[in-house]
Amino acid sequence: MSPIKTLTIFCKVVDNFGDIGICWRLARQLQREHGIAVTLWVDDLKSFQRICPGVSAETERQQIAGVTVRHWRNQEGVFTPQDVTDVVIEFFGCDIPPGYISAMSQCDPRPVWLNLEGLSAEEWVEGCHTLPSMHPRLSLTKHFFYPGFTGKTGGLLHEASLDEERERFQSDPAAMAAFLAKLGVTDDERQALKVSLFCYPHAPVRELFQTWESGTTAVTCLVPEGVARDAVQEFLGAEAKPGMARTRGVLTVRVLPFVPQPDYDKLLWACDLNFVRGEDSFVRAQWADKPFIWHIYPQDENLHHVKLRAFLQRYANGIDSLINVSLAWNGAGNDDHAKSATWAAIWPPFLDDLPNMAKRTSDWHRQIAANGDFASNLLNFAAALRSVPAENKV
């Protein structure tokens, strides 16, 4: 196979943090574990800065953790073949600058051009993974590359040291306590059921808070700043600033500062239950070995509900309470029973099933890990394409 030495990722931020979160994890892993010289073009450096404080939102070109970060301002620009890398990735089908595409067509050999697609558990993904698409005018072929949950996809992002780091952290109660204390969590709050909450604004947070508040199990809900702002401020009776906390009934809600990605992983590892959203935090929750609920990114005509059900069909393993809470959290109930179900009715069975979910999460972890990690699978595919003679390529 022809070795891959350089790689470029184009990222257009749509989902605030999920898009850049995925691209940044991939860029760091490619550089750190595979020695690839990575250039990451990002159109929204302010969102990037929220998850990586070392980023300067005003700098056109900068080096962060060994990765070259470029501010992608517009579709203009003059590029030469010398600007083009061995592999070029457009994330979620974002349109990369025409000048860059033109420069790609002048390279010999041509770069491997990949459209890194969104994560889905739907069966059709396996049939579309690695499919080619020829450029209508230029001598270029783009291939679709899908993350996924089976061996017929690209797998999921997973750093080589991730499991070891998680196991070391989770087996050290003092380390977990110190981490939570750094975020302001008190000893009493740490003894309760610890829940991290990361969701989109339309999630039924008020209803969930009301159920927790009047329940019999003490809950400490840890919410990053800016998440579910209206419901959190209503509960607090004050502005939802980092460090703010209030207890009503058996529920304590505490607002956390937005933390860098490595600390967000630790937050997932330290909590008993994680509500996650989009794709990046969703994937990290699956490696945390803790029960989780996914808030999926909304799509027109409720197409996201199809994706949610496809994932639950693979993951839930017959745990009805997990299915019921997941559907309710996403407004995906489509029968009379689901529509009439209240959080007061569906939460207690879910709470009782948490031990079963913890076991299922560990089993699922082993199952998806067997598919290999996304970064390595991507490089292997790209290297195989590079080794094919030009006259034999699609």
Side-chain angles (χ1 to χ4, degrees):
M1 293 185 181
S2 175
I4 304 298
K5 297 180 180 179
T6 59
L7 181 146
T8 295
I9 303 172
F10 285 89
C11 174
K12 187 177 291 290
V13 178
V14 177
D15 180 21
N16 294 317
F17 310 109
D19 312 278
I20 183 56
I22 295 166
C23 290
W24 181 231
R25 290 190 195 278
L26 176 60
R28 282 186 301 162
Q29 185 179 359
L30 289 170
Q31 190 281 326
R32 183 182 305 160
E33 297 182 12
H34 300 277
I36 307 295
V38 180
T39 299
L40 175 59
W41 287 84
V42 184
D43 68 333
D44 183 356
L45 292 178
K46 290 184 177 179
S47 289
F48 190 3
Q49 189 180 56
R50 294 290 300 279
I51 64 170
C52 181
V55 170
S56 168
E58 310 301 328
T59 303
E60 296 295 312
R61 182 185 184 120
Q62 53 197 302
Q63 286 289 124
I64 308 291
V67 174
T68 300
V69 175
R70 302 289 302 272
H71 190 185
W72 182 12
R73 289 191 175 277
N74 51 49
Q75 293 296 87
E76 300 175 359
V78 177
F79 300 89
T80 69
Q82 287 70 39
D83 298 315
V84 178
T85 52
D86 297 335
V87 179
V88 178
I89 296 174
E90 56 183 40
F91 187 72
F92 278 12
C94 63
D95 294 324
I96 63 180
Y100 196 95
I101 295 176
S102 177
M104 289 165 58
S105 70
Q106 300 171 38
C107 293
D108 185 19
R110 300 286 191 271
V112 174
W113 185 8
L114 302 178
N115 181 355
L116 199 165
E117 285 286 353
L119 175 62
S120 177
E122 296 168 281
E123 291 186 2
W124 62 263
V125 168
E126 295 182 342
C128 294
H129 179 56
T130 71
L131 280 183
S133 173
M134 297 184 67
H135 193 279
R137 293 182 295 101
L138 303 175
S139 180
L140 288 170
T141 299
K142 175 167 56 179
H143 288 79
F144 295 93
F145 202 85
Y146 284 81
F149 304 100
T150 74
K152 295 181 180 180
T153 68
L156 300 177
L157 278 172
H158 182 281
E159 300 86 353
S161 62
L162 183 63
D163 287 341
E164 180 182 348
E165 292 174 5
R166 175 188 56 78
E167 290 170 2
R168 184 168 59 247
F169 181 79
Q170 291 179 332
S171 63
D172 187 345
M176 285 197 290
F179 171 76
L180 292 171
K182 185 177 68 173
L183 297 176
V185 179
T186 67
D187 288 342
D188 287 344
E189 291 168 5
R190 190 162 46 83
Q191 301 308 314
L193 180 76
K194 297 180 293 300
V195 181
S196 74
L197 180 63
F198 191 39
C199 61
Y200 294 110
H202 61 281
V205 176
R206 287 185 181 87
E207 295 88 338
L208 188 58
F209 280 1
Q210 291 167 1
T211 301
W212 286 345
E213 178 185 344
S214 60
T216 58
T217 299
V219 176
T220 296
C221 181
L222 305 175
V223 189
E225 178 187 13
V227 173
R229 181 182 286 109
D230 291 346
V232 172
Q233 291 188 164
E234 181 180 300
F235 183 89
L236 295 174
E239 187 176 353
K241 295 180 179 179
M244 293 293 294
R246 184 182 181 185
T247 299
R248 283 171 30 186
V250 294
L251 170 62
T252 297
V253 174
R254 176 172 290 280
V255 182
L256 306 182
F258 225 87
V259 296
Q261 283 184 328
D263 280 350
Y264 183 69
D265 280 332
K266 289 182 179 179
L267 178 64
L268 297 176
W269 300 343
C271 285
D272 305 299
L273 171 66
N274 296 300
F275 284 75
V276 292
R277 79 180 198 190
E279 183 171 327
D280 182 52
S281 61
F282 171 49
V283 170
R284 303 313 281 191
Q286 294 177 64
W287 299 127
D289 259 18
K290 295 296 182 73
F292 64 90
I293 295 294
W294 181 27
H295 201 205
I296 189 170
Y297 187 77
Q299 295 177 287
D300 292 338
E301 300 180 355
N302 288 329
L303 292 178
H304 56 297
H305 291 169
V306 176
K307 294 177 65 175
L308 173 66
R309 292 177 184 276
F311 174 72
L312 290 173
Q313 186 174 9
R314 292 184 185 275
Y315 171 72
N317 202 37
I319 303 177
D320 289 339
S321 62
L322 171 59
I323 296 172
N324 292 337
V325 167
S326 297
L327 294 178
W329 188 241
N330 286 276
N334 59 1
D335 55 45
D336 292 339
H337 173 72
K339 291 177 181 177
S340 63
T342 64
W343 282 96
I346 64 176
W347 177 252
F350 178 87
L351 199 59
D352 291 341
D353 274 337
L354 274 180
N356 293 333
M357 292 177 214
K359 182 180 183 304
R360 173 55 185 156
T361 300
S362 293
D363 291 342
W364 177 253
H365 184 143
R366 288 189 289 270
Q367 180 179 332
I368 57 178
N371 301 323
D373 76 276
F374 183 82
S376 297
N377 291 339
L378 184 150
L379 286 181
N380 289 337
F381 176 70
L385 285 180
R386 292 274 289 184
S387 68
V388 176
E391 62 271 17
N392 294 335
K393 291 185 179 179
V394 174

